[in-house]
Amino acid sequence: MVLEMLNPMHYITSMVPDAVPIATMSVLLLTGLLLLVWNYENTSSIPGPGYCMGIGPLISHFRFLWMGIGSACNYYNKMYGEFTRVWIAGEETLIISKSSSMFHIMKHNHYISRFGSKLGLQCIGMHENGIIFNNNTDIWKAVRPFFTKALSGPSLVRMVTVCAESMVKHLDRLEEVRNESGSLDVLHLMRCIILDTSNMLFLRIPLDESAIVVKIQDYFDAWQALLLKPDIFFKISWLYKKYEKSVKDLKDAMNILIDEKRHKISTADKLEDSLDFATELIFAEKRGDLTRENVNQCILEMMIAAPDTMSVSVFFMLFLIAKHPNIEEAIVKEIQTVVGERDIRIDDIQKLKVVENFINESMRYQPVVNLVMRKALQDDVIDGYPVKKGTNIILNIGRMHRLEFFPKPNEFTLENFAKNVPYRYFQPFGFGPRSCAGKYIAMVMMKVILVTLLRRFHVQTLQGQGVSIEKMHKKTNLAVHPDETYGYMNMTFVPRKSDKCHEC
């Protein structure tokens, strides 16, 4: 009797007449099982789409692949709220655009891991290598100090001089890149300048800027295309072959440059003359602290990081300046007051408050990197919601910057930074143990670029190009980029009337 009571089939059979056929019993049991599966995941307290017998996870992953990561995140936050649960590759994923939740995640060490397709990351070389998407926290901790050292301290001082020299060199040669109408591809120009600056600081090996820039763009396209692809995608070679080639092209080009660097180090009379980011990593490899593959990937990532994102940020800034002449006037006035006719120096950087507010407002209003991807390394509770170990997390920073704190969140205006903004409400580079290692040098670099350019040239969009930055066609995936099939990239640089202006 006791065994019978413990047997769940006892209750099922007792409720069904003996005359019911076995086939009917099977259908009833299967229906009950499907109902259990249907409702199993809907017991979560976190808002989001339903599980629906596994259809929900398939649809949510497909949406990310179809819309792009950024657009899908905005869709789900708008649909279900600022703390939303979806699925990517069958794994529970949280999309968060609340500042309190972001603050909690960014400051804790158990959120320093990232997530993404293992096969995709292997294809682009970032699986347990480099710093950007390396989700092996032990290896990441080993390479992070090399980036921190190279992107802070004396490098901030050197960045001012090196970046200004690169700007002047490229601005003096504008005739070489202007088209017949007198305009130029500003985004390509910025990519070349920023790559040149990065090279002079971190690798110091002569390279073909234009050729490497094209390879970096193709690599980035492969990166964001493969990051969330399901495993089955990599079983069909013709689907990912072009991405594999793009990755190989950049890696091969970078490996040649890095081998030249190794040779230069081995034949140098004084090692002090060769000390830089690449040299420090190569020394670590020789000591056995890092693998050759990891060293090459770290150098590759250092060289592509700024041309990937900062060049687009500066492009958006110049577009906004062209559309807001009153802001351009305020910036130029400050440049004349702080810098005057001399070369910009490191002690000028902190004094350029209008320039800094403009940069911040540009990154807030038209971000390039508007999301951060993390993984929970232990169970936790965030804003009252339980978060299990292994949960994927996407921080929708771009949306948060439009929802909280700022007095005019949907307008582009320097009034949004007229007062100090608590850093928990403004996180273009993140903070905490896995914040962007280059956040300080990036601000220095952007200020130098704007000062050097705007003191010499007035920036204009093409005549008849009435499109605003809001209506500009963009691709919102891993990062936000302008759609380069349209004519937004071309602008004109009109020389200002100044004794120091070099007529181009």
Side-chain angles (χ1 to χ4, degrees):
M1 178 63 72
V2 174
L3 291 175
E4 187 178 86
M5 292 177 63
L6 292 175
N7 183 3
M9 289 301 296
H10 166 74
Y11 297 100
I12 296 175
T13 55
S14 65
M15 295 171 62
V16 181
D18 293 339
V20 175
I22 297 297
T24 304
M25 278 289 296
S26 300
V27 171
L28 289 172
L29 289 173
L30 179 59
T31 302
L33 178 62
L34 290 175
L35 287 172
L36 286 173
V37 172
W38 182 293
N39 292 294
Y40 176 71
E41 289 289 344
N42 288 332
T43 58
S44 173
S45 60
I46 303 174
Y51 188 76
C52 299
M53 296 185 294
I55 298 174
L58 288 176
I59 292 175
S60 66
H61 191 184
F62 175 76
R63 188 176 293 280
F64 275 87
L65 298 176
W66 168 48
M67 297 180 67
I69 304 173
S71 296
C73 286
N74 288 332
Y75 169 85
Y76 280 116
N77 278 146
K78 184 177 180 180
M79 182 70 66
Y80 297 101
E82 311 314 322
F83 202 114
T84 301
R85 179 202 61 169
V86 295
W87 296 266
I88 294 177
E91 297 179 345
E92 192 170 83
T93 302
L94 304 179
I95 307 172
I96 299 172
S97 52
K98 294 177 62 177
S99 62
S100 56
S101 302
M102 290 190 189
F103 185 83
H104 176 95
I105 290 165
M106 287 182 178
K107 74 177 181 180
H108 283 104
N109 282 316
H110 52 272
Y111 293 104
I112 60 173
S113 180
R114 295 198 188 274
F115 75 92
S117 162
K118 179 179 178 180
L119 295 177
L121 292 174
Q122 283 176 338
C123 183
I124 62 175
M126 290 186 179
H127 178 64
E128 300 192 349
N129 281 312
I131 190 174
I132 301 177
F133 261 83
N134 185 346
N135 52 19
N136 183 316
T137 55
D138 291 334
I139 298 176
W140 172 80
K141 288 176 182 178
V143 301
R144 170 88 179 191
F146 292 96
F147 285 84
T148 303
K149 179 181 178 181
L151 295 167
S152 60
S155 293
L156 292 176
V157 180
R158 288 189 60 225
M159 170 60 80
V160 176
T161 303
V162 170
C163 186
E165 288 176 354
S166 182
M167 282 292 298
V168 170
K169 177 177 67 177
H170 285 82
L171 292 177
D172 285 347
R173 299 196 314 232
L174 285 185
E175 282 301 326
E176 299 175 15
V177 294
R178 278 196 175 113
N179 59 27
E180 293 179 357
S181 66
S183 66
L184 55 106
D185 186 332
V186 174
L187 182 52
H188 182 78
L189 175 65
M190 288 302 122
R191 283 169 170 155
C192 289
I193 290 170
I194 292 170
L195 175 62
D196 181 45
T197 302
S198 298
N199 183 38
M200 287 193 290
L201 277 174
F202 309 125
L203 182 59
R204 295 194 289 174
I205 296 293
L207 52 78
D208 184 338
E209 289 170 12
S210 292
I212 297 293
V213 159
V214 171
K215 288 179 171 63
I216 289 174
Q217 290 175 254
D218 291 342
Y219 178 91
F220 181 80
D221 289 342
W223 174 8
Q224 66 177 1
L226 299 177
L227 185 59
L228 298 183
K229 285 289 191 290
D231 288 353
I232 193 172
F233 178 86
F234 299 93
K235 303 292 184 182
I236 309 170
S237 61
W238 61 269
L239 283 176
Y240 70 89
K241 190 173 182 180
K242 68 172 183 177
Y243 301 119
E244 195 174 48
K245 182 182 183 303
S246 297
V247 171
K248 185 178 184 302
D249 286 347
L250 179 62
K251 281 189 170 185
D252 288 348
M254 288 303 304
N255 288 346
I256 291 171
L257 296 173
I258 296 168
D259 285 344
E260 289 183 30
K261 182 68 174 182
R262 287 189 169 94
H263 177 72
K264 182 179 179 180
I265 293 170
S266 66
T267 58
D269 293 331
K270 294 182 180 180
L271 288 178
E272 292 80 4
D273 296 337
S274 300
L275 283 177
D276 50 36
F277 173 75
T279 304
E280 296 280 4
L281 285 169
I282 291 168
F283 284 166
E285 177 194 334
K286 291 182 176 181
R287 293 193 302 267
D289 297 338
L290 299 173
T291 66
R292 187 183 188 90
E293 183 183 9
N294 198 2
V295 167
N296 285 15
Q297 183 64 27
C298 285
I299 296 172
L300 181 149
E301 290 183 16
M302 179 66 97
M303 294 297 289
I304 71 169
D308 250 357
T309 55
M310 192 188 302
S311 57
V312 183
S313 294
V314 174
F315 165 76
F316 282 143
M317 290 174 194
L318 295 177
F319 197 93
L320 286 165
I321 284 173
K323 296 295 184 180
H324 296 82
N326 58 323
I327 291 179
E328 180 186 23
E329 183 180 351
I331 291 174
V332 171
K333 182 178 180 181
E334 182 179 69
I335 292 171
Q336 292 170 343
T337 302
V338 174
V339 182
E341 297 300 322
R342 60 172 171 77
D343 295 334
I344 186 171
R345 301 189 302 244
I346 187 64
D347 56 338
D348 297 326
I349 298 299
Q350 293 298 320
K351 301 173 185 176
L352 294 165
K353 297 298 184 183
V354 176
V355 176
E356 183 169 321
N357 288 346
F358 166 73
I359 291 172
N360 286 335
E361 176 64 356
S362 297
M363 290 191 294
R364 182 201 71 84
Y365 188 76
Q366 182 49 75
V368 174
V369 180
N370 61 348
L371 54 88
V372 170
M373 300 169 67
R374 301 286 179 88
K375 181 180 283 289
L377 299 178
Q378 66 184 51
D379 292 348
D380 199 3
V381 176
I382 305 175
D383 280 345
Y385 292 113
V387 177
K388 297 177 182 178
K389 178 181 178 179
T391 300
N392 299 329
I393 298 172
I394 302 177
L395 303 180
N396 194 352
I397 296 174
R399 181 174 171 85
M400 185 266 283
H401 288 163
R402 292 289 191 107
L403 293 176
E404 300 186 32
F405 184 79
F406 295 98
K408 297 181 178 180
N410 294 314
E411 292 183 33
F412 177 77
T413 171
L414 300 193
E415 292 177 36
N416 285 319
F417 285 89
K419 298 179 180 179
N420 289 333
V421 179
Y423 69 91
R424 70 181 296 164
Y425 295 114
F426 182 60
Q427 288 298 333
F429 301 104
F431 80 99
R434 193 146 189 171
S435 62
C436 175
K439 58 184 176 182
Y440 299 115
I441 205 167
M443 181 61 76
V444 170
M445 196 172 185
M446 288 186 285
K447 285 185 177 181
V448 173
I449 289 172
L450 292 174
V451 167
T452 309
L453 175 58
L454 293 177
R455 70 189 298 186
R456 288 180 57 175
F457 295 99
H458 168 62
V459 182
Q460 293 181 336
T461 56
L462 295 185
Q463 188 173 7
Q465 191 183 80
V467 65
S468 63
I469 202 164
E470 296 83 6
K471 295 183 179 179
M472 180 186 292
H473 292 268
K474 307 180 192 78
K475 298 177 181 179
T476 307
N477 198 351
L478 182 60
V480 181
H481 284 66
D483 189 333
E484 296 186 42
T485 59
Y486 292 80
Y488 309 127
M489 309 319 115
N490 281 40
M491 299 183 192
T492 56
F493 289 174
V494 181
R496 295 186 187 278
K497 294 179 181 180
S498 171
D499 295 337
K500 289 203 73 176
C501 278
H502 304 275
E503 295 297 328
C504 300

